[in-house]
Each structure stands twice: as structure tokens, then as C-alpha cells.
Amino acid sequence: MPAKRVTLADIASHLGVNKSTVSRALQNDPSVNPGTVDKVRAMAAALGYVPDPALSALSQERWRREDRQCSLNWAYLCEQPDSVNKREELVLLGSLAGKLGYSITPVGLRQQGGARTINRILRARGVCGVLLDRVYDTALAHRFDWDHLDWPAYSWVAAIESRYAPAVHRVINNSFDTTREAFARMVNHGYKRIGFIQEAPDLSRENERQQAAFLQYKEMHPTISMVQAFVGERIASMATADIDRLRSARPTAILYGYTAIRDRLPHDLAALPWATLTSQADDKSVAGIHMSMEAMFRAAVDLLDFQYRRRERGLPQHRHTLLVDAIWQDGESLPRLG
């Protein structure tokens, strides 16, 4: 006869607490005293408690769907929160975080000037978790004193990858797979000579993954003519040679690592059919890979919520990375041939 399963009621009886307290403690509910959590976990281990996976999943779903007031505060650490794009992102983040019971406080790296000032702001505003935005300004990223942030005090998640941010859990675009997808789509549209133009390759790891996807696709499809070029102020001396090489390859279409690159090209190249790895869903004339910021932020909010409820603070020993797939969007900029 199988042994009787240890239940939450058994643990509660041994400790003299309510069954609901045991349930919340085992789920790392922030409202439960940390000392009680430790006692519940110790008793559960001593009794050999094994959670029922079906009941655990149901409980988790109920917790997430509760209509709760925003009572916990997260910070969104970004370069400049009062810019137009960031204001739009904050509205989206606030909506997603609010459904889980959190409010969002924007904190600007550029305005505050240093880590110690930001530490004081986070403490004063009762922050319990921090979402890190990507730092685009290379000079700002290098001079900011990252090591002096109070890492042990908070749960952290990077909402998008940055070369300069410390090794926290992160949510990033699956740029390797989506770059390969873009090349495959362009070939399926009938283009056999494709130029690929990126920003200077030392600006981000995302650029490096895009470049890796280019090299792999080129090697695996030798019948497709593919040539790469770089543009960017930091390697302006290389840009002219790269552009000349690109022109001599006579591409029939161009894939841009970033849409705005097109504005810097000579007219003859800018006039070619094109696609981009950063298309906008509301612009149906542009072909390329569309990355949903809502999907990225939803994943980041879920991951930060998970870290906070598990009481995981500081820089993790083993970093988790969530890859979010983007989707291809057809557009007039890349008409089908034939």
C-alpha cells in the first residue's frame, strides 16, 4: 500500500500555523515573514513533503490572476526616462507590472549622475526590484560606476541586452535565429545577391550574433552571393572601403541591422529593395523582422516577479537568459521577384 502523501495540513499542524500560511510560504509569497518561510521549508523537508504538480500549477495561476492593488515598487533604470520612446515604454511596463501588483518608478542614469545617488533614490522609494534598460550611450556606460550599485538589496532583470550592464538575469531578442530567418525570407522572395549592413560591430552583442548568423547562412548557402559592410562613426575610415566593396558586389537587395542605417547610404544603394532587422509593426511598407516590445517586457516582468517571489537578490551565480522570438513582416520595401 503506497505511503500517505504529506499535505500542507500536516505541515501546518506540526508548526501550529494556518494551512494558507504554509501554502504562501512554500510559494515565497513576499507577505510572509522570512523566518516563517524558513521554518515551513525546514518542516516540509523533514516530513518529506512533495508538492502535487497539478495543485501547484493551479495555485500559481490563481495567484497571478488576482486583482490586486499595486503595493510593491519596481524601478526602471534607463538612460533618460523623459524621452518620447521611454514614456511610451513606461506606460506599457506600468500596465504589465500593475497586473502582478507592482508599480514602476523610472530612474534616469543620465540625470542622477552616479550609483550612490541612485542607491539613495531606490531606498527612499521602497524599491524591491529593478528592471535594467539597455545603455546605448557608450561614454555614459563606461563612466557609470556600476560596481557601486547596491546589488544585494534588490532583484534584477535586464529588459534588453547591454554589453555594459553587469551579469544579471536578462530577456533578449533571439537575434541569431531571426537574422537567419530574414535572409531565408529574402531568398524566398527571389533575391540571390544580398548585402548586409550593420552598425559598427563593437556596439553590442546583438550585432555580433547577427554577424554570426550572416556568416553561418553564407557558408551553408554558397549559391547565394552575400557581402557585409559596416557603418558607424567609430570606424568611419573603414566605412568607405566597405561601401565600395558592397557596391562592386552588385546586390539586388539589402538587409539592414538597423533601419536608420539606410539614411546614411549613397542614393544608389539606398534605392535598392530592402528589409530590416528592426521593422515597426505599424509601418506596413517596411519588410523585415518585427520585435514586439510588449513580448519583451512581458517576459522581463514575469522573470523579475519570479526572482522577487523566490527572494533572489543581487548578482546571480548562474545567469538566466530568456530568448524572445521576433516575427517576419512582409512590406513594400522588398517586393517579390518574378
Side-chain angles (χ1 to χ4, degrees):
M1 183 175 181
K4 178 179 178 294
R5 175 187 288 270
V6 177
T7 67
L8 299 181
D10 296 329
I11 301 172
S13 176
H14 278 78
L15 292 174
V17 298
N18 292 327
K19 187 174 72 171
S20 63
T21 300
V22 173
S23 175
R24 289 185 292 117
L26 291 175
Q27 295 179 58
N28 283 307
D29 189 320
S31 66
V32 180
N33 183 284
T36 302
V37 171
D38 293 339
K39 291 178 181 179
V40 169
R41 289 189 170 277
M43 182 58 68
L47 296 176
Y49 171 74
V50 177
D52 183 314
L55 291 177
S56 295
L58 178 60
S59 176
Q60 182 81 349
E61 184 66 15
R62 284 175 176 169
W63 189 91
R64 294 176 60 80
R65 291 189 178 187
E66 287 178 359
D67 184 16
R68 291 174 285 132
Q69 297 288 329
C70 291
S71 57
L72 298 167
N73 195 14
W74 283 345
Y76 183 45
L77 196 58
C78 57
E79 282 188 32
Q80 194 164 332
D82 56 355
S83 66
V84 174
N85 288 342
K86 291 305 167 190
R87 287 200 294 269
E88 293 175 354
E89 289 179 5
L90 282 164
V91 171
L92 176 58
L93 272 174
S95 173
L96 294 171
K99 294 176 181 177
L100 298 181
Y102 303 94
S103 59
I104 296 289
T105 295
V107 180
L109 290 170
R110 191 182 300 278
Q111 293 94 326
Q112 305 307 331
R116 290 180 173 84
T117 301
I118 288 178
N119 289 339
R120 290 196 293 271
I121 293 173
L122 298 183
R123 287 194 298 270
R125 298 184 181 179
V127 166
C128 62
V130 182
L131 284 164
L132 282 172
D133 186 31
R134 177 175 177 178
V135 181
Y136 292 92
D137 186 328
T138 305
L140 171 64
H142 278 306
R143 71 170 179 265
F144 187 80
D145 49 341
W146 295 103
D147 291 343
H148 292 103
L149 283 175
D150 192 2
W151 299 103
Y154 310 105
S155 302
W156 301 80
V157 167
I160 193 168
E161 184 179 39
S162 173
R163 174 185 294 276
Y164 312 104
V168 299
H169 301 305
R170 58 185 178 167
V171 174
I172 64 175
N173 174 35
N174 190 358
S175 53
F176 182 86
D177 284 354
T178 52
T179 302
R180 283 175 46 85
E181 172 74 7
F183 285 123
R185 293 279 187 166
M186 296 178 77
V187 170
N188 289 339
H189 277 51
Y191 298 93
K192 307 301 182 184
R193 297 198 306 275
I194 302 173
F196 181 40
I197 307 182
Q198 289 183 285
E199 294 276 3
D202 59 339
L203 292 183
S204 75
R205 292 189 180 95
E206 184 170 358
N207 275 9
E208 293 166 358
R209 282 193 292 273
Q210 292 172 358
Q211 185 178 12
F214 164 82
L215 294 173
Q216 186 191 74
Y217 196 90
K218 182 178 181 180
E219 181 178 354
M220 295 179 65
H221 299 82
T223 61
I224 305 300
S225 174
M226 301 176 68
V227 62
Q228 187 176 25
F230 298 106
V231 296
E233 295 178 357
R234 297 188 62 183
I235 54 171
S237 60
M238 293 177 57
T240 300
D242 273 10
I243 294 302
D244 289 344
R245 181 166 55 86
L246 179 65
R247 184 182 282 119
S248 66
R250 297 182 296 111
T252 53
I254 294 179
L255 176 64
Y256 297 104
Y258 184 68
T259 308
I261 293 175
R262 184 168 177 264
D263 299 332
R264 301 180 226 166
L265 295 183
H267 176 74
D268 61 319
L269 292 176
L272 291 172
W274 60 280
T276 176
L277 295 175
T278 55
S279 73
Q280 301 295 321
D282 56 352
D283 188 350
K284 302 303 181 183
S285 67
V286 175
I289 297 295
H290 169 60
M291 182 182 70
S292 168
M293 287 307 299
E294 181 175 355
M296 295 285 289
F297 282 149
R298 181 181 291 110
V301 164
D302 285 346
L303 182 55
L304 186 58
D305 175 52
F306 178 75
Q307 298 304 320
Y308 176 69
R309 293 178 59 211
R310 286 173 59 90
R311 303 182 186 276
E312 294 186 6
R313 310 285 190 269
L315 298 178
Q317 183 177 3
H318 302 289
R319 178 170 63 173
H320 301 310
T321 298
L322 293 181
L323 296 177
V324 177
D325 286 333
I327 60 173
W328 172 265
Q329 171 181 284
D330 277 324
E332 298 171 6
S333 66
L334 191 77
R336 290 182 180 272
L337 299 181

